[in-house]
Amino acid sequence: MAKVVTAIAPQVDDRFIEIGAGRGALTFALAERVGRLLAVEIDRDLVRVLRGTAAATVDALQADFLDLDLLTLARRVRSGDAAIRIVGNLPYNVSLPILLRVLRDAARAGIRDAVFMLQREVAARVVASAGTRDYGPLAVMTALRAEATPLLDLPPGAFRPAPRVWSTLLALRFRDPQRLPSDLDRFEGMVRALFTQRRKQLVNALPHKFQTDELDPLTWCQLASVNPKRRPGELTVSELIDLWEVLARA
């Protein structure tokens, strides 16, 4: 845990939101080092333990993070110009929806960064670049809003109880997007549909449900200035947005 806390690099004035506090291993390690920490935990019994043993800087909230509004949580811990940060050892079965929720709302909520413990294979998909095996919708949606950096790889034995997989401590530094698609939800739908055909050339992979008589795959690629012989996994985020904007104008 000492290595994890060092990698997070908490500052005395920082305000933290912790997702999935569990038994408080990270909560207690951070509590004496930060200005305030809001620990969100779904298990009522564990919340009772946190409230009874955590430092005065800790506020424990019994809730499912996915049922909460991140802007409201940020207001709850905000204090002047202090940085608001997120940490969490995310449950593997809900790590993806939590990641996507945080990516969507972090900048609007004034969150500076997040440091998450993830299954190593999931972290690889977050940081993947175009043309690599792990590149896909998760990497695309991350790149729109954050810089992702792996900090530590940890073996199963670093945890109690030990999982069956390796984990990666991953940092997300949020920023205002340099460019966003005109309809983020529909753009994500197009990207996901494209990557189900990732081995095909674009001229054969572009989703049929988005095509019209005027927007056949070859025309679609030509208007976006994208080579129709390339494959979805080779396209940069900017090129994917170019494809979407052609569709949006159709």
Side-chain angles (χ1 to χ4, degrees):
M1 188 55 66
K3 289 183 178 180
V4 172
V5 174
T6 298
I8 294 171
Q11 302 299 309
V12 67
D13 291 330
D14 288 349
R15 266 52 181 171
F16 277 89
I17 299 168
E18 183 184 5
I19 302 173
R23 299 182 182 278
L26 183 57
T27 312
F28 300 142
L30 289 174
E32 303 296 339
R33 301 169 183 251
V34 303
R36 188 167 186 79
L37 187 148
L38 174 60
V40 180
E41 170 54 49
I42 196 170
D43 188 295
R44 184 177 289 104
D45 292 335
L46 293 178
V47 169
R48 188 178 298 115
V49 172
L50 289 171
R51 287 173 176 166
T53 57
T57 54
V58 175
D59 179 13
L61 173 64
Q62 192 267 314
D64 183 340
F65 174 79
L66 291 172
D67 291 336
L68 303 175
D69 175 51
L70 187 55
L71 279 72
T72 301
L73 294 178
R75 285 195 293 267
R76 185 163 173 171
V77 299
R78 180 171 284 113
S79 177
D81 295 329
I84 303 177
R85 309 178 64 190
I86 297 178
V87 293
N89 185 357
L90 301 187
Y92 292 158
N93 61 325
V94 291
S95 60
L96 291 182
I98 290 175
L99 271 173
L100 292 172
R101 173 72 63 82
V102 171
L103 285 166
R104 186 191 71 188
D105 293 337
R108 291 192 301 123
I111 308 296
R112 189 187 78 186
D113 66 344
V115 181
F116 290 134
M117 188 73 68
L118 300 168
Q119 184 175 339
R120 186 165 62 176
E121 290 76 11
V122 173
R125 290 165 54 198
V126 173
V127 303
S129 55
T132 63
R133 182 189 64 182
D134 291 316
Y135 183 64
L138 183 56
V140 171
M141 301 312 291
T142 300
L144 285 173
R145 298 184 179 275
E147 301 292 338
T149 306
L151 301 178
L152 293 171
D153 284 333
L154 296 170
F159 304 92
R160 294 291 183 272
R164 296 181 178 180
V165 297
W166 278 67
S167 301
T168 296
L169 190 68
L170 181 76
L172 297 171
R173 181 81 178 197
F174 302 111
R175 50 171 167 70
D176 291 328
Q178 297 176 340
R179 184 185 181 199
L180 274 179
S182 54
D183 186 325
L184 189 59
D185 289 339
R186 294 191 67 202
F187 169 76
E188 184 177 354
M190 183 199 75
V191 171
R192 291 188 181 282
L194 261 181
F195 276 88
T196 64
Q197 308 288 329
R198 63 182 302 137
R199 296 182 183 275
K200 294 184 178 180
Q201 294 182 350
L202 279 173
V203 72
N204 298 314
L206 287 167
H208 292 291
K209 66 179 181 180
F210 293 120
Q211 298 175 31
T212 66
D213 292 339
E214 296 78 20
L215 194 64
D216 61 274
L218 185 58
T219 301
W220 194 347
C221 291
Q222 290 172 338
L223 291 173
S225 299
V226 175
N227 187 332
K229 293 185 178 181
R230 294 174 67 193
R231 290 169 171 76
E234 299 171 345
L235 300 185
T236 66
V237 175
S238 181
E239 288 171 324
L240 289 165
I241 295 176
D242 288 340
L243 280 172
W244 165 254
E245 295 306 333
V246 168
L247 175 62
R249 294 193 300 267

